[in-house]
Amino acid sequence: MRVGLCYDRFGDTPRPAGAPPDWDAEYEPEETVVALEDALRLLDHTPVRLGNARALLAALARGPLGVDAAVTIAESYGSRNREAHVPVLLELAGVPCIGSDALSLSLSLDKHVTKVVVAEAGVAVPAGVVIPPDADAEAAVRDLAFPLMVKPRYEGTAKGIAPSSRCAGPAELLAEARRQHRLYGQDLVAEAFVDGAEWTVGVVGTGASARALPALQRAVDPASGIGTHALGDIDGEVAGALTPDLDAALADAAVAAHRALDCRDFSRSDFRVGPDGGPVFVEINPLPTFAPDGTFAILAELDGRPYPEFLAEVLAAALARLAVPEPG
C-alpha cells in the first residue's frame, strides 16, 4: 500500500507577513517525517511524501495523488480552520486519512468550544471566558477569581504562552491581553489558573477502541507555575505523585475528551491536578508531535521498544480502521 505523508516541516515555508515569532512552533523537524516513514516500512507499506497543504493542493491540480491512504500531521497556517486544510483536501481527493477529520481538528483548535464539549462529557475544566480583541478585558473576567491564565483561542497548546500569561491581577491581565491581541489578532481565552502538577496523556484508537497510554508528568516553571514545555528553555520542577487513583482518573478523562471530540487514532490531552486531587482538563491536541523526542517517543522508550515499532502499531490500528483494500 502507498501511504501519503502530509506535514509542515521547519524551513519549508517562508514566514508570513505579520506572523508572530512562534508562528511555526508546531511544525516538525525532518526526523519526524523519517520516523513515520520507518514505521510504515515496518508494516510493508510505501511512504510517499506529499508535504504541506500548499504542496498537496498543487499536486491535486496535476492529477491523482497515487496513494491508497494518507496520514496528516500538517498544522498549516492562517485561520482557525488551519489544521483542517489537509484533511479537507484529502477528502475531496477521495483519499482515506489517518487521524482526526476536519471537523474534529477545527473544533479542538478552538479552546473555548473544546472545553464546553469536554465539560459536557463530565470532565472537569477550569472556569473561563472569551475576550475578543475589542472587548474590555477587565470587565470580561469580572466573575472569575485571579490568578488567571490567558492564551490565544485558536492556537496550539504552547503558542502565545509566556511567563506573563499567568495574570495575578487586573493590571497584568490588561497588559497580557494587549500583548496577545497585538501578536495574534484573535479572541483570547482567560481561565482560572490551576496551580498544581501537570500531566499529559496520550490516547490511541477510535471510539470504543480508544485507550489511554501511561500518563507523563510535565515540569513546571517554579516562578510562574506554567509548564516549561510551553515556555522553552526554562528549568522546571515536578511535584506530586502518580497514585493509582490519579492514574485511573487521568486515563478516564483523556479517553472521555478524545471520544467527546470524536478524535480518531491518536491524541494527547493536558491536565492539571486540581485542589481536590482530581484532573482538570486544560486542552487536547489531535495532532501531537511524533518527533523522536516527543511524548510518543518517550512512551516507547519507557516501554523498552524501538520507536518505529511503537509508531507502527499506532499506524497499523489506524489503517485497519480505514479498511483500505490492498491494491490489486
Side-chain angles (χ1 to χ4, degrees):
M1 184 186 304
R2 290 170 58 84
V3 181
L5 294 176
C6 301
Y7 50 85
D8 279 287
R9 188 174 53 178
F10 291 124
D12 283 351
T13 306
R15 179 177 175 175
D22 60 354
W23 70 277
D24 63 348
E26 295 180 300
Y27 288 10
E28 296 286 346
E30 167 68 11
E31 290 79 8
T32 302
V33 184
V34 172
L36 288 166
E37 290 175 326
D38 290 345
L40 288 168
R41 290 190 181 106
L42 278 179
L43 298 171
D44 293 326
H45 299 313
T46 301
V48 179
R49 295 192 179 200
L50 298 176
N52 60 23
R54 291 187 179 276
L56 180 59
L57 188 61
L60 286 169
R62 294 191 295 270
L65 296 175
V67 297
D68 305 293
V71 54
T72 176
I73 54 170
E75 298 284 346
S76 200
Y77 181 80
S79 78
R80 66 180 187 177
N81 294 308
R82 60 182 173 81
E83 292 183 345
H85 292 170
V86 164
V88 165
L89 291 174
L90 291 171
E91 184 176 315
L92 289 171
V95 176
C97 183
I98 291 172
S100 297
D101 70 0
L103 177 59
S104 292
L105 291 172
S106 289
L107 177 62
S108 64
L109 194 62
D110 185 326
K111 290 183 171 70
H112 172 69
V113 176
T114 292
K115 287 199 306 176
V116 172
V117 173
V118 172
E120 185 67 23
V123 179
V125 303
V129 297
V130 173
I131 306 177
D134 58 352
D136 180 334
E138 188 173 357
V141 304
R142 60 182 176 273
D143 295 327
L144 300 178
F146 287 95
L148 298 174
M149 185 70 178
V150 179
K151 48 195 174 183
R153 179 174 178 176
Y154 308 115
E155 296 295 350
T157 53
K159 290 177 72 172
I161 306 303
S164 58
S165 299
R166 175 178 171 161
C167 304
E172 293 87 350
L173 169 70
L174 293 174
E176 183 63 10
R178 282 195 297 268
R179 182 186 77 86
Q180 292 193 23
H181 278 143
R182 175 177 55 82
L183 285 173
Y184 299 94
Q186 62 181 257
D187 292 351
L188 308 179
V189 172
E191 60 189 24
F193 188 88
V194 182
D195 200 0
E198 183 164 325
W199 300 85
T200 189
V201 184
V203 173
V204 293
T206 303
S209 72
R211 60 182 178 86
L213 300 173
L216 295 177
Q217 188 170 17
R218 281 180 160 163
V220 299
D221 170 30
S224 66
I226 297 172
T228 56
H229 75 286
L231 298 179
D233 190 17
I234 292 180
D235 291 333
E237 59 183 24
V238 295
L242 185 62
T243 65
D245 286 347
L246 177 58
D247 191 21
L250 284 166
D252 288 347
V255 170
H258 183 92
R259 290 174 176 163
L261 294 161
D262 200 22
C263 296
R264 301 175 185 175
D265 303 327
F266 40 75
S267 72
R268 192 204 70 236
S269 288
D270 299 334
F271 298 89
R272 285 294 182 111
V273 175
D276 64 354
V280 178
F281 173 87
V282 177
E283 49 199 57
I284 190 171
N285 187 356
L287 289 180
T289 181
F290 290 125
D293 60 352
T295 299
F296 284 79
I298 292 170
L299 289 169
E301 183 178 358
L302 292 175
D303 201 30
R305 301 172 61 190
Y307 185 41
E309 177 186 301
F310 181 93
L311 199 51
E313 183 178 287
V314 175
L315 297 179
L319 287 167
R321 173 184 67 80
L322 295 178
V324 180
E326 289 288 348

